[in-house]
Amino acid sequence: MAIIDFKHVDKFYGGFHVLKDINFRVNGGEVVVIVGPSGSGKSTLIRTINGLERINDGSLIVDGKDMTDKSTNFNELRRDVGMVFQHFNLYANKTVLENIMLAPRIVLHRPEEENHKEAMRLLEEVNLVEKANSYPHQLSGGQQQRIAIARSLAMKPKVILFDEPTSALDPEMIQDVLDVMKLVAQEGITMVVVTHEMGFAREVGTRVVFLADGEILEDSDPKSFFDHPQTKRARQFLSKVISH
Amino acid sequence: MWQLFTQNWQDFLTGFWHTILSSIIALVFSFILGSGFAILETNPNKFWRGVAKVYVEIFRNIPLLVVTMFFYLVLPKVLPAMNGFTAGTIGLTLYTSAFIAETVRSGLQSVGTGQMEGCLANGLSYWQAMKNVILPQALKITIPPLGNQFINLIKNSSVLAFVAGMDLMYQGDVIASNTFQTIPTYIIVGIFYLILTLPLSYYMQYLEKKLA
């Protein structure tokens, strides 16, 4: 069964039709990469999956929960659907360790000792144990993003959404973050990734969705998408992003 | 002047004590009320935003003296009467809370929306996010302007004099009219206010430097 299921989804910002008749589903364990020109609605699309944006029409089922139903508990849903943001959004008033431990403690009521052990294990995984007691502003962008991924993983989610996770980073920081994302993919966590990193899409993605002007124009495996794009719009897009 | 003080020191100290007491009570409750209404003012729910807005606009735009008189003279027509100290302290609390609400609200709004989204996406509820992440950051930003509000609060507590609230200003008025030594009396009253506000003022400047 699909863990994310869009059926005829529309979204408007006032009079602006930002998502047009979106149909697509994501199965457990998939790594779906959403690409497309800026302003095409990629971020809006991914933000509807955890309810940070609401849809206006159609149906969206995430982890068995109806996102258009008023009685759906979004807090509960977000325990299982993590998110990593372009600008990290780490808690500025908390240390790295506290950033990771806060939600498991107050949302999942994980015992303190186990919580700490798990947080330290995650810090090891993202290779930042020595930063446990630093504050976010003392870290580089790449380090902050790896902490943000660790924070998300601490909730043991079924799905993690990545909204342009490397777009705000200096070029030399990008690879470290992509490496951590590869680890996440290997753990079998379902991933939906909005990114401009075509190398990542090709190598790690199980599927590529091409979005332009709020419409899904292509939805295929990475190899077909990059080698034989079906639409003119996708060919234009690829020629621009691959050429540099 | 020294003689005036030694002859009336008990009355001055009684006034001083009531000013301190009223200020502390008003400070605690106006801070709680003000922070509460600030949170409502930034709430996603339109209804609560409206309620908070009405509250703040009412108490921010009516003179403190009028608010106080309302509790001292108008409310007793329907409710049991209260003494001047109580009426004055309630007026002071509500009046100050509107200003504190505005101060804390601007602090809350200066914490980027990314912080709230980070919390929500991590599974925290709105209130958990407020308590653990947003409010602590907002309060840190608002410490210097809050300090100013607290200094204003202490000075504004002199409104109690109008409703026989036993405070410093009230005692000063009584002493001045009994002894006819108007100028020395009010100099002593002024010194007592400075004893309260100057250390607070310096402490706020120190905090401001430390947090900057």
Side-chain angles (χ1 to χ4, degrees):
Chain A
M1 212 190 97
I3 192 160
I4 301 167
D5 195 353
F6 283 84
K7 280 198 186 106
H8 303 295
V9 167
D10 283 285
K11 176 162 179 72
F12 299 85
Y13 285 135
F16 180 60
H17 201 168
V18 57
L19 295 177
K20 297 170 187 160
D21 193 29
I22 299 294
N23 290 286
F24 93 107
R25 41 198 335 198
V26 178
N27 293 311
E30 274 195 289
V31 179
V32 176
V33 181
I34 302 173
V35 300
S38 46
S40 57
K42 305 185 295 291
S43 280
T44 306
L45 178 66
I46 200 171
R47 286 162 60 89
T48 61
I49 299 172
N50 67 351
L52 286 182
E53 300 280 353
R54 307 294 160 90
I55 64 172
N56 298 112
D57 205 8
S59 100
L60 171 55
I61 309 287
V62 180
D63 193 25
K65 294 188 173 67
D66 183 349
M67 303 296 282
T68 55
D69 187 344
K70 279 211 169 96
S71 66
T72 294
N73 185 337
F74 285 98
N75 297 329
E76 215 174 279
L77 171 91
R78 289 170 185 144
R79 290 173 202 175
D80 293 318
V81 181
M83 189 171 208
V84 173
F85 297 86
Q86 181 176 358
H87 295 290
F88 335 123
N89 298 355
L90 293 178
Y91 311 140
N93 61 326
K94 304 252 179 226
T95 63
V96 161
L97 199 57
E98 273 301 307
N99 262 274
I100 299 173
M101 290 171 67
L102 181 67
R105 180 189 302 129
I106 67 177
V107 178
L108 304 178
H109 307 291
R110 186 176 292 162
E112 195 62 17
E113 199 179 326
E114 185 193 333
N115 194 12
H116 186 265
K117 220 170 113 185
E118 177 65 13
M120 291 309 287
R121 186 189 70 78
L122 287 166
L123 281 175
E124 242 164 75
E125 205 170 300
V126 300
N127 213 0
L128 286 170
V129 174
E130 74 281 5
K131 300 292 183 188
N133 296 312
S134 304
Y135 282 88
H137 69 91
Q138 296 168 316
L139 307 181
S140 73
Q143 290 170 334
Q144 289 193 52
Q145 196 59 298
R146 280 142 65 199
I147 299 300
I149 296 171
R151 177 175 75 176
S152 204
L153 285 170
M155 295 294 282
K156 303 192 187 299
K158 296 176 189 161
V159 182
I160 301 185
L161 312 170
F162 293 82
D163 188 5
E164 303 210 23
T166 58
S167 298
L169 301 180
D170 291 336
E172 76 269 23
M173 307 278 179
I174 291 175
Q175 198 52 50
D176 290 342
V177 171
L178 292 178
D179 287 344
V180 171
M181 288 169 65
K182 270 183 227 170
L183 281 177
V184 176
Q186 283 160 12
E187 283 176 27
I189 294 171
T190 308
M191 296 166 71
V192 180
V193 185
V194 170
T195 186
H196 296 291
E197 295 297 323
M198 295 302 147
F200 178 86
R202 194 190 272 267
E203 189 190 339
V204 186
T206 55
R207 248 168 75 208
V208 174
V209 170
F210 176 70
L211 196 72
D213 298 324
E215 274 180 282
I216 292 181
L217 296 184
E218 308 219 6
D219 182 351
S220 58
D221 65 280
K223 194 168 159 45
S224 324
F225 176 75
F226 287 109
D227 297 347
H228 309 289
Q230 300 297 305
T231 58
K232 193 175 161 221
R233 204 61 211 279
R235 283 194 292 276
Q236 281 175 343
F237 173 76
L238 284 173
S239 72
K240 276 182 194 158
V241 292
I242 305 285
S243 65
H244 63 83
Chain B
M1 196 161 80
W2 180 247
Q3 204 190 1
L4 178 79
F5 177 68
T6 51
Q7 280 168 0
N8 297 284
W9 65 274
Q10 279 176 316
D11 290 337
F12 278 119
L13 284 188
T14 304
F16 191 51
W17 165 243
H18 280 94
T19 291
I20 293 175
L21 193 64
S22 173
S23 298
I24 289 175
I25 294 171
L27 190 148
V28 170
F29 286 102
S30 65
F31 181 65
I32 294 170
L33 270 177
S35 302
F37 279 104
I39 291 170
L40 290 186
E41 278 192 284
T42 58
N43 196 284
N45 185 313
K46 234 181 184 166
F47 173 76
W48 290 117
R49 278 208 309 272
V51 168
K53 187 89 191 144
V54 168
Y55 176 88
V56 168
E57 291 302 337
I58 286 177
F59 287 107
R60 201 168 57 146
N61 292 304
I62 296 178
L64 171 58
L65 188 53
V66 177
V67 176
T68 303
M69 284 302 179
F70 176 81
F71 283 96
Y72 191 58
L73 296 175
V74 182
L75 217 54
K77 300 221 183 289
V78 283
L79 291 172
M82 52 182 93
N83 63 32
F85 180 82
T86 310
T89 305
I90 291 175
L92 193 59
T93 301
L94 299 182
Y95 176 81
T96 309
S97 71
F99 288 90
I100 289 180
E102 284 303 275
T103 309
V104 175
R105 177 189 58 80
S106 79
L108 285 172
Q109 284 172 341
S110 69
V111 179
T113 52
Q115 292 288 307
M116 179 55 91
E117 287 191 347
C119 291
L120 294 178
N122 206 199
L124 272 64
S125 70
Y126 176 84
W127 293 109
Q128 286 175 326
M130 248 322 149
K131 176 172 163 251
N132 291 284
V133 177
I134 312 295
L135 208 49
Q137 291 183 51
L139 289 180
K140 195 173 159 185
I141 299 167
T142 50
I143 282 174
L146 274 182
N148 285 331
Q149 297 298 346
F150 292 152
I151 290 167
N152 280 337
L153 185 153
I154 292 171
K155 293 187 293 178
N156 286 340
S157 70
S158 59
V159 76
L160 264 70
F162 284 91
V163 290
M166 309 296 286
D167 72 312
L168 197 48
M169 187 64 197
Y170 175 78
Q171 303 292 356
D173 287 343
V174 173
I175 293 164
S177 63
N178 287 340
T179 62
F180 303 109
Q181 296 192 45
T182 316
I183 294 172
T185 302
Y186 288 115
I187 289 175
I188 293 173
V189 167
I191 290 170
F192 270 114
Y193 277 112
L194 283 177
I195 290 172
L196 283 179
T197 51
L198 268 188
L200 188 58
S201 177
Y202 279 113
Y203 184 62
M204 285 301 154
Q205 283 173 27
Y206 161 79
L207 272 184
E208 208 166 335
K209 268 188 205 138
K210 205 180 139 194
L211 294 172

